[in-house]
Amino acid sequence: MFNRRLAASLAGLSLLAATGCGGGPEEIQHPGPVGQGLTWEEFRARVYQDPEGVFVFDGDVAIHDENTLREFFDRRLKNGQLIVGTSGGVDVKWDDTQKLNLTYCVSSTSFTSAQYSATVQAMADATAAWEAVANVNFIHKSDQDANCTATNLNVLFDVRPLSGSYWLRAFGPATPRDSRNILVNPVTFTSSPYPVVGLFRHELGHVLGFEHEHILLGTNAPEGCSENFTYRSLTSYDSDSVMHYPECNGTAGLSLNLSLLDAQGAASLYGTPGTPPPPPPPPPPPPPTDATSGTLSAGQSAYHGAYEVVAGTYFNVEMSGTGNADLYVHFGTYPTATQYTCRPALSGSSEVCSVLVPAGQTRAYIMVTAVTSASYTLALMYTKPTTTGTITETASGSLSSGQYDYHGAYEVVAGTYFKVVMTGSGNPDLYVGFGAYPTLTSYYCRPALSGAVETCDVLVPAGQTKAYIMVKGSSSVATLLGGDTYSLEISYTKPMPSGPASGTASGTLSQGQNAYHGAYDVAPGTYFKVVMTGTGNPNLYVSFGAYPTTTSYYCRPALSGASETCNVLVPPGAPNKAYIMVRGVSTSSTYNLNITYVRP
């Protein structure tokens, strides 16, 4: 968006691999806007291909191979319009670290001596123009100029000559390294109506993630100027923008200087020059993995599980190691040498079982048997059953102006609400994001109210499983008084394991003493079973919805001694929580509980 228009990332396909700009050569060789109502063959015939094999169309969009071009056509054009998706609605720009280290080289071997000198000076002047209005830093690594190619990984991008249908062609922040180039048509130095430094100012706008200003003209754009990219506006429409083609009703003339609104838009995206970046958020915890390993002598077996699984999904086990170990997988019980669901029986210890969980099965089991002395490592991938429970958590802190606190990740369920209520003193700002910690420019909810009372109550988007919170200290007055303070109340639905579950409990009781256990989340229509053993004479009580008492319970065997069992069907419509009480009857009793049940 340039000066307001952030280039879209095209859903991670990096289709905006390069951007070719300016009038001149492209107007001679390119037949005009390519878009609606074309067949693939017609579209392909109208797309210009430059000497490096890059496809360039609409004078602006470049794609680096024909398969991606066809995918772009199928997904964006053939249904009647260009539709470019952003990356989850998030601005495509350089992060707070990279924006201050935008390194480049200028080819000293491909340009003539005069062209090289002119390019180095033009880049220095053009980068200085952007650095004067935004918190970005371009660095010319002249020691890389003799090897300034698309494969040079010592720089972020390269600047070199290439004849084509453009004066200059650039790229956007989502572009892979081999396509991060500013390419200069050699005729630009002698034939362009634009000053070379102005063209570089324009192309560096694309490098920073800004698109053409005349996008806002829509259907009112002159012929050949219509573009349909998705964008987010940073300022109002500006015909004086450096990103506005003069031939598309731009009013700034041929100099291509940055306008006042260009400066404001760039600063709103990257910060004002010299602004220190916020501290990086803490890294999210590593994802859970199921892996185990062991060493076996010949004829020895090891057992792993049970693993709670979902019928109709795949249970995958990959074994690696030394020697010759055999892998066995089974459902419902541990496998044996003669009873198993999967046994590859290969030579060596590299074996894989990838099996569909049968209907009615909820647990998977693994056995590894050594044919010779062997060591093994298992990597497991499978679908665990899930259900939900609503919880509330709290957090608090104290911040000086410009300081940040991060909270999360919180495991959430798509389609439920994630609610954060903030109170406190001063003027802290609340931010909520999904999938990653929010930043000043990338967030899902930011109330931006005056004072410390703010609320985010948002629906968790489809496909999202983690929520994150950032609080920023914003009150300069509060800094003098000791900082902003905040308290968060966080309410959300948390995924929990479901299906068969078990637990244990134990204790010692004197006569007349009670012990309580629970609550246990249970599914109506399933069995809740408690087996008690021990010494003396404890009494077992079970109830649903509330803790049992001596007069209110669902099950009470009332037997002599410590061996009692309650195996009861959770009534349909009953509260989905079970509770246990154990009461000491004799002078002294001990008890052990073995509890099995099904979570909803």
Side-chain angles (χ1 to χ4, degrees):
M1 25 189 103
F2 198 107
N3 144 279
R4 269 111 4 208
R5 225 120 352 271
L6 216 16
S9 73
L10 299 183
L13 296 178
S14 298
L15 297 185
L16 284 183
T19 340
C21 299
E26 69 187 26
E27 294 176 345
I28 298 171
Q29 300 183 41
H30 180 57
V34 176
Q36 304 174 8
L38 297 180
T39 65
W40 160 248
E41 290 74 18
E42 292 170 332
F43 171 72
R44 174 64 182 85
R46 297 183 68 179
V47 174
Y48 169 75
Q49 192 169 12
D50 75 8
E52 288 196 344
V54 174
F55 298 98
V56 181
F57 63 95
D58 281 355
D60 177 68
V61 179
I63 295 177
H64 286 255
D65 64 81
E66 189 160 343
N67 288 337
T68 306
L69 183 70
R70 180 58 189 262
E71 182 176 356
F72 182 88
F73 172 82
D74 288 339
R75 296 179 61 187
R76 315 296 185 185
L77 293 177
K78 73 177 182 180
N79 292 326
Q81 58 183 347
L82 277 169
I83 301 173
V84 179
T86 59
S87 182
V90 176
D91 295 340
V92 180
K93 66 184 185 71
W94 301 110
D95 62 33
D96 289 323
T97 300
Q98 192 67 72
K99 73 179 184 180
L100 300 176
N101 192 37
L102 302 172
T103 59
Y104 67 93
C105 60
V106 178
S107 177
S108 59
T109 58
S110 300
F111 284 115
T112 67
S113 177
Q115 291 171 349
Y116 172 76
S117 298
T119 301
V120 169
Q121 187 60 52
M123 277 291 292
D125 294 341
T127 56
W130 285 108
E131 292 168 348
V133 299
N135 194 32
V136 296
N137 184 36
F138 290 90
I139 301 170
H140 177 200
K141 299 188 71 171
S142 57
D143 61 322
Q144 300 297 317
D145 287 356
N147 185 34
C148 190
T149 67
T151 60
N152 188 332
L153 301 182
N154 295 316
V155 292
L156 189 68
F157 66 95
D158 52 275
V159 183
R160 50 191 173 85
L162 182 72
S163 299
S165 66
Y166 37 73
W167 299 120
L168 273 69
R169 172 165 70 77
F171 60 94
T175 309
R177 172 61 188 97
D178 61 351
S179 301
R180 288 201 300 262
N181 354 90
I182 296 181
L183 301 181
V184 184
N185 191 329
V187 302
T188 301
F189 296 99
T190 56
S191 303
S192 170
Y194 304 96
V196 174
V197 65
L199 290 172
F200 274 110
R201 281 191 292 262
H202 178 96
E203 296 305 326
L204 288 173
H206 288 311
V207 170
L208 292 174
F210 302 127
E211 257 303 327
H212 289 144
E213 187 69 15
H214 44 271
I215 286 177
L216 283 181
L217 294 176
T219 57
N220 296 321
E223 183 179 358
C225 295
S226 178
E227 300 181 19
N228 294 305
F229 290 107
T230 299
Y231 58 84
R232 178 176 74 85
S233 291
L234 296 174
T235 73
S236 59
Y237 169 68
D238 178 21
S239 61
D240 285 340
S241 171
V242 69
M243 302 308 293
H244 202 307
Y245 282 176
E247 61 268 31
C248 295
N249 291 345
T251 56
L254 300 179
S255 61
L256 295 177
N257 287 309
L258 274 65
S259 70
L260 178 62
L261 287 181
D262 285 335
Q264 293 175 2
S268 73
L269 188 65
Y270 284 106
T272 56
T275 304
T289 58
D290 286 306
T292 189
S293 59
T295 301
L296 301 171
S297 57
Q300 187 179 2
S301 296
Y303 299 88
H304 303 280
Y307 301 96
E308 295 184 355
V309 292
V310 177
T313 63
Y314 278 87
F315 184 74
N316 300 282
V317 185
E318 183 174 344
M319 182 175 72
S320 58
T322 63
N324 186 10
D326 275 355
L327 173 65
Y328 297 76
V329 168
H330 198 43
F331 298 99
T333 61
Y334 283 102
T336 68
T338 57
Q339 183 180 7
Y340 48 83
T341 303
C342 173
R343 180 200 173 194
L346 303 178
S347 178
S349 292
S350 296
E351 297 185 357
V352 175
C353 279
S354 182
V355 288
L356 192 68
V357 180
Q361 296 294 340
T362 59
R363 295 192 177 201
Y365 299 81
I366 298 171
M367 178 178 77
V368 181
T369 298
V371 179
T372 66
S373 296
S375 66
Y376 68 91
T377 298
L378 304 178
L380 284 67
M381 184 172 64
Y382 60 101
T383 301
K384 297 179 181 179
T386 58
T387 185
T388 60
T390 302
I391 65 170
T392 299
E393 299 183 18
T394 60
S396 60
S398 181
L399 299 167
S400 57
S401 180
Q403 186 180 357
Y404 301 78
D405 274 356
Y406 297 90
H407 302 279
Y410 301 93
E411 294 186 357
V412 292
V413 177
T416 63
Y417 278 88
F418 184 77
K419 183 177 183 180
V420 184
V421 178
M422 182 174 73
T423 57
S425 63
N427 187 25
D429 277 349
L430 173 65
Y431 298 74
V432 168
F434 295 103
Y437 285 100
T439 69
L440 297 181
T441 57
S442 175
Y443 49 81
Y444 197 86
C445 172
R446 181 203 172 192
L449 302 178
S450 177
V453 179
E454 297 185 356
T455 297
C456 281
D457 190 5
V458 290
L459 194 69
V460 179
Q464 296 294 342
T465 60
K466 292 183 184 293
Y468 300 82
I469 298 170
M470 180 178 79
V471 183
K472 176 181 180 292
S474 300
S475 173
S476 57
V477 174
T479 300
L480 300 176
L481 301 177
D484 296 323
T485 67
Y486 68 89
S487 295
L488 306 179
E489 183 177 275
I490 309 151
S491 304
Y492 62 101
T493 301
K494 185 175 183 177
M496 299 186 303
S498 67
S502 61
T504 59
S506 60
T508 301
L509 298 170
S510 57
Q511 188 176 26
Q513 186 180 3
N514 297 328
Y516 299 90
H517 303 281
Y520 301 92
D521 291 332
V522 292
T526 63
Y527 280 89
F528 184 76
K529 183 177 182 179
V530 185
V531 177
M532 182 174 72
T533 58
T535 63
N537 188 20
N539 275 358
L540 174 65
Y541 297 73
V542 168
S543 187
F544 299 102
Y547 283 105
T549 68
T550 56
T551 58
S552 176
Y553 48 82
Y554 196 86
C555 172
R556 180 200 173 194
L559 302 178
S560 177
S563 295
E564 295 185 359
T565 298
C566 280
N567 188 17
V568 290
L569 190 69
V570 181
N576 63 348
K577 293 186 183 293
Y579 299 81
I580 299 171
M581 180 180 79
V582 182
R583 180 177 176 81
V585 177
S586 60
T587 302
S588 179
S589 301
T590 66
Y591 67 92
N592 296 288
L593 305 179
N594 187 2
I595 309 153
T596 56
Y597 59 102
V598 178
R599 290 192 181 105

